[in-house]
Amino acid sequence: MDISVVIPLYNEEESIPELHAWIERVMSENGFSYEIVFVNDGSTDRSWTVIEELARKDNHVHGIKFRRNYGKSPALHCGFNVAQGNVVITMDADLQDSPDEIPELYRMITVDGYDLVSGYKQNRRQGDPLSKTIPTKLFNATARKVSGIHNLHDFNCGLKAYRKDVVKNIEVYGEMHRYMPYLAKNAGFDKIGEKPVHHQARKFGKSKFMGWNRFVNGYLDLITLWFLSSFSRKPMHVFGFLGSLMFFIGFVSAFIIGADKLYSLSQGIPQRLVTDSPYFYIALTMMVIGTQLFLAGFVADLVSRSSQGRNEYQIEKTV
């Protein structure tokens, strides 16, 4: 199979038939063998009914229905698990991503040899408020700096193309869909490219991802991913180092305070009690915190070796 199109969706019943027809036309014009995998992320409208109707009429259509809303990353994870195409295309279901971009994305993977190609949305002024565009620019600038992938302008574009090996060897969980290029790079797939794509105005409903909470969550996820990519298999290295450093500084400080007190007593120099000095309590606090950080490293090591089931979701139906 040439292409798998994975489409996570939540309450997009109006858009699904038009999106399906559009993808079908593009695939037929280019002679691709393909499948469309709709992942219904706990929609409360008729989205699943529409998907079932399409699946009965078109054997290219497959669907996964979650019992409740889990989020975009779990939807992509389950879609990637069942995808069979040599190239996997992801896009949103709101008709803002154009299926006309699929042939060129496919060519960049199969001919140019990219592991992943991310869309770069053009014409972003069509209806996007400042509460979305400003956080997006700041987020992308930070993501480029932290990830080291400097050629990408739009990490969070839903329209992406992947070599099949990429989606089968990365784990998408929580809200890590924002960092698919970073996840791919950490897995050893570092040939990552970008393609300017047309960004269309939303035709039905309203965006599910708006506001500053999206901006804040994005930064928290980026910090998490940076830490996991750097220390997930060796948490003791960071916690143990910080804990040892703080304990050592606190111990040396306490020793100096005690030695100074003993010297003063031996020379008959009047001096206040050690416990009256604020430096004694600062040193003691550093020793306590250092010990706690060191123990946290052991606990983190145990957790990292026994983490299971974080990507298990309740799937109600498949077609």
Side-chain angles (χ1 to χ4, degrees), residues 26-239:
V26 171
M27 297 299 187
S28 298
E29 289 175 353
N30 291 273
F32 292 132
S33 56
Y34 70 99
E35 65 178 354
I36 306 172
V37 182
F38 290 104
V39 185
N40 181 25
D41 185 24
S43 296
T44 56
D45 63 358
R46 294 183 64 258
S47 292
W48 181 249
T49 301
V50 174
I51 293 170
E52 287 183 315
E53 291 172 354
L54 290 174
R56 282 194 292 268
K57 299 174 183 177
D58 184 357
N59 59 11
H60 295 106
V61 175
H62 306 288
I64 299 171
K65 181 185 181 185
F66 286 168
R67 289 189 180 276
R68 65 173 181 85
N69 179 256
Y70 286 103
K72 190 172 183 178
S73 291
L76 288 173
H77 171 78
C78 293
F80 289 163
N81 280 346
V82 302
Q84 298 298 313
N86 293 325
V87 174
V88 178
I89 307 285
T90 61
M91 63 174 54
D92 295 335
D94 55 12
L95 297 175
Q96 291 187 287
D97 296 331
S98 171
D100 289 331
E101 308 284 356
I102 290 176
E104 179 60 15
L105 290 170
Y106 178 80
R107 189 199 65 79
M108 292 179 72
I109 297 291
T110 57
V111 178
D112 294 345
Y114 286 104
D115 296 315
L116 184 156
V117 179
S118 181
Y120 176 24
K121 296 176 183 176
Q122 306 297 298
N123 306 316
R124 288 301 299 261
R125 294 181 181 178
Q126 297 182 9
D128 284 347
L130 290 177
S131 63
K132 184 174 182 179
T133 55
I134 292 177
T136 295
K137 289 182 181 297
L138 293 173
F139 160 75
N140 284 313
T142 306
R144 283 193 296 272
K145 183 69 174 178
V146 173
S147 68
I149 307 174
H150 301 293
N151 63 319
L152 295 189
H153 295 84
D154 190 358
F155 277 73
N156 200 29
C157 178
L159 184 57
K160 289 183 173 67
Y162 307 81
R163 191 179 304 281
K164 183 179 180 180
D165 287 347
V166 176
V167 302
K168 299 301 183 181
N169 286 280
I170 60 176
E171 184 182 18
V172 193
Y173 63 95
E175 294 187 26
M176 294 300 177
H177 61 273
R178 300 180 179 95
Y179 308 106
M180 301 298 287
Y182 196 6
L183 291 171
K185 179 185 176 183
N186 289 338
F189 301 99
D190 55 3
K191 191 166 185 184
I192 298 170
E194 182 175 74
K195 180 188 183 301
V197 297
H198 183 67
H199 179 67
Q200 304 186 123
R202 171 177 277 274
K203 191 172 182 179
F204 303 103
K206 61 181 181 179
S207 175
K208 313 301 189 300
F209 306 100
M210 299 285 283
W212 287 91
N213 61 323
R214 173 175 174 264
F215 173 68
V216 174
N217 291 340
Y219 270 107
L220 294 176
D221 290 336
L222 183 59
I223 293 170
T224 300
L225 185 54
W226 170 79
F227 183 86
L228 291 175
S229 66
S230 302
F231 303 108
S232 63
R233 299 187 184 277
K234 46 185 179 181
M236 189 59 182
H237 287 198
V238 62
F239 287 112

